[in-house]
Amino acid sequence: TFVVTLSGILTWLIDFYILKNPSLAHLHLEVLRYVCFILVIAGAVQLVEMYVRKFFPALYESFGVFLPLITVNCTVLFISLKVTTVDNLSYIQTVVYAISAAIGFWLAMIMVAAIYEKLDLIGKVPKGLQGPGIIMIITGIIALAFMGFSGMV
C-alpha cells in the first residue's frame, strides 16, 4: 500500500513539474518517463525493505529475497503510468486515486489470502488444483465479484 501510494504521488510530481514542464519542452524529457518511474518504484521498495529490516527483523528474514518481489508488482507501475498518461488527473485526484488503488489492491490480497487459508484448513482442494491453481480460481471469482461494482461511481 505504501509503495503504490508513494509511487503514484511521486511519479505525478515528476511528470507534471519536470517531464511535462513547458520551459523544458525543447529537451524532450518525456522519453525518460519509464526510467523515472522505475527509479521511483525501486526507491519506494528500498524504503519498505529498510523499514521492515529495522523494525521487524524476523519478518525480514522470513521474506528474504522475496520482499522486493512481493512489493514491486504490476499494480505499482500501472498506477504510476495511469495517473500520468491516461487520466490527466490533478495532484489531489492523483493522491486520492493512488491511496484508493493501494487500499483496493491490499483488500484483494487479504481476501485471496483469507480464502486460501480457509481452503487450506478445510483440506478439500483437489490435488491438481492445490497451490497456484486454486489461487487463480479464487482470483477469477473475486474479479467477477468486483466487476459488479463497475460503473457505480
Side-chain angles (χ1 to χ4, degrees):
T1 303
F2 175 76
V3 173
V4 174
T5 302
L6 184 65
S7 297
I9 292 168
L10 289 177
T11 54
W12 185 90
L13 290 170
I14 290 170
D15 196 59
F16 187 78
Y17 288 111
I18 298 172
L19 300 178
K20 289 183 180 176
N21 189 336
S23 62
L24 299 174
H26 66 284
L27 297 175
H28 302 288
L29 295 176
E30 56 275 352
V31 298
L32 298 175
R33 178 175 281 151
Y34 294 110
V35 174
C36 290
F37 294 169
I38 290 169
L39 290 174
V40 165
I41 293 166
V45 169
Q46 288 301 312
L47 283 173
V48 169
E49 188 173 6
M50 290 186 304
Y51 178 80
V52 171
R53 184 184 312 148
K54 173 90 172 153
F55 295 107
F56 305 102
L59 183 62
Y60 177 76
E61 290 299 322
S62 69
F63 281 143
V65 72
F66 294 106
L67 183 62
L69 296 175
I70 292 169
T71 55
V72 176
N73 51 55
C74 294
T75 304
V76 178
L77 187 58
F78 171 75
I79 297 303
S80 299
L81 294 174
K82 186 162 173 46
V83 299
T84 57
T85 59
V86 177
D87 290 339
N88 200 17
L89 302 174
S90 70
Y91 178 71
I92 297 299
Q93 290 171 323
T94 299
V95 170
V96 171
Y97 187 83
I99 291 171
S100 301
I103 291 170
F105 186 71
W106 176 76
L107 285 173
M109 287 191 311
I110 295 296
M111 288 187 330
V112 168
I115 294 170
Y116 185 73
E117 287 295 317
K118 182 75 171 177
L119 287 174
D120 197 33
L121 290 174
I122 295 171
K124 293 185 178 182
V125 177
K127 187 164 180 76
L129 291 177
Q130 290 177 355
I134 196 68
I135 294 293
M136 295 303 287
I137 292 171
I138 293 169
T139 306
I141 293 170
I142 291 174
L144 287 172
F146 279 121
M147 285 176 59
F149 293 116
S150 64
M152 290 181 71
V153 178

